[in-house]
Amino acid sequence: MFATIDEVSEIAGVSVDNATLLKAQAIIETASGRPEELVTDTTDLIWLKKATAYQCAYMEEDPTTVFEQMNLESVTQGENKMVIGDKPIWLAPLAQRAIGNLSWRRSRMIETEPFPYRKELWRQDMQTAWMRDRWWNW
């Protein structure tokens, strides 16, 4: 388990039962893309504990409504138009934020050398001139 019932009470200020905690854990595992057995980094475990607590607070009133909600942004009755949303409404906003801090969800940066734009432009001009058979004008 990412979090215990006591930790959920301490972090989110809600008291939950074991069934709600298990449902929240399953949702967080699905949203994060990793089951509990594969997570070994302590920082990631802290973020997942917080995400589970936030999810429990989100599911506090009725734990089953998360599974029954429709992802609609708007409904128009005139022409029966329904717009489906792209936000995961089954996931608590704070849990979504905590999941974004996980090590495998962060963006990765590749360091490169500065690109010599002027040299590349000169090379492209030379290649264009050569292709047009005007290379002797340079």
Side-chain angles (χ1 to χ4, degrees), residues 63-101:
T64 59
T65 58
V66 172
F67 302 105
E68 298 168 359
Q69 294 180 26
M70 292 179 56
N71 195 1
L72 293 179
E73 284 186 3
S74 66
V75 176
T76 307
Q77 284 187 331
E79 299 175 9
N80 296 331
K81 178 181 175 185
M82 295 174 57
V83 178
I84 306 298
D86 61 347
K87 296 178 183 174
I89 58 172
W90 44 269
L91 186 62
L94 285 173
Q96 188 173 5
R97 184 75 170 193
I99 287 172
N101 291 329

Side-chain angles (χ1 to χ4, degrees), residues 5-120:
I5 293 175
D6 294 335
E7 290 171 337
V8 169
S9 178
E10 182 182 316
I11 293 171
V14 296
S15 58
V16 295
D17 57 349
N18 198 30
T20 304
L21 185 61
L22 288 173
K23 289 175 188 172
Q25 167 100 13
I27 290 171
I28 296 302
E29 284 180 348
T30 302
S32 67
R34 297 250 170 109
E36 181 185 5
E37 298 81 28
L38 297 179
V39 182
T40 56
D41 187 27
T42 55
T43 307
D44 290 335
L45 288 171
I46 291 170
W47 284 117
L48 289 168
K49 179 193 326 179
K50 290 180 180 185
T52 305
Y54 298 145
Q55 186 66 29
C56 285
Y58 188 69
M59 298 169 54
E60 176 186 16
E61 223 174 277
D62 186 8
T64 59
T65 58
V66 172
F67 302 105
E68 298 168 359
Q69 294 180 26
M70 292 179 56
N71 195 1
L72 293 179
E73 284 186 3
S74 66
V75 176
T76 307
Q77 284 187 331
E79 299 175 9
N80 296 331
K81 178 181 175 185
M82 295 174 57
V83 178
I84 306 298
D86 61 347
K87 296 178 183 174
I89 58 172
W90 44 269
L91 186 62
L94 285 173
Q96 188 173 5
R97 184 75 170 193
I99 287 172
N101 291 329
L102 296 172
S103 63
W104 63 88
R105 303 281 289 199
R106 287 188 219 127
S107 65
R108 287 160 177 76
M109 194 167 120
I110 300 172
E111 248 183 84
T112 60
E113 295 179 9
F115 187 74
Y117 290 105
R118 292 177 191 230
K119 187 176 180 182
E120 177 61 20

